[in-house]
Amino acid sequence: MYVKFICSFACGKYRMAEAGGGNGGHGGHGGHHGALHWTTNMSSLMLRRMVELIATGVRTDKGFKEAHLNQVARSLSDHYGIEISGTQVYNHLRKWRQRWVRITRLKDLSGALWDDQTSTIILEEEHYMGHVKVCV
């Protein structure tokens, strides 16, 4: 039996679907009171702004300068009408990097298949269970 690992980068959620259809639990954005809740659109806009910065050559080998993080935060704040700090942008960018590293590791596993049509990593069930912690 194969298990599909569905990577929905736009919304930042992962889900498990067994071949044949059933969906498992959804990951999401939790948080404590007062924390910024990053919506799908906010994440997408932040990532687009970061890509635009990279295209202009401002990224250093060690990451982004504080001024550039603040620039993205101002752009998001202006667009959504809420206060967003450079620190919040930095932390959210770190979260996205962690997700990307996990997905890249799964894609690089021996026996892992990539489905371009559905943006899905397909693993045998034993490999999937060995690499993904399922939270109930």
Side-chain angles (χ1 to χ4, degrees), residues 98-115:
Q98 290 170 347
R99 290 174 179 162
W100 179 251
V101 166
R102 278 188 241 139
I103 290 166
T104 303
R105 284 184 187 149
L106 282 173
K107 282 178 66 175
D108 289 343
L109 288 175
S110 176
L113 304 172
W114 178 256
D115 184 343

Side-chain angles (χ1 to χ4, degrees), residues 38-56:
W38 286 86
T39 66
T40 301
N41 291 335
M42 289 169 65
S43 289
S44 295
L45 182 58
M46 183 208 70
L47 292 171
R48 278 195 307 274
R49 294 291 183 258
M50 299 310 277
V51 167
E52 291 168 2
L53 283 174
I54 292 168
T56 64

Side-chain angles (χ1 to χ4, degrees), residues 4 7 107 113-122:
K4 289 185 176 185
C7 312
K107 282 178 66 175
L113 304 172
W114 178 256
D115 184 343
D116 283 323
Q117 291 180 329
T118 59
S119 297
T120 304
I121 299 169
I122 303 170

Side-chain angles (χ1 to χ4, degrees), residues 106 109-110 123-132:
L106 282 173
L109 288 175
S110 176
L123 299 170
E124 289 186 26
E125 187 173 10
E126 70 180 65
H127 286 102
Y128 178 85
M129 298 310 285
H131 292 281
V132 177

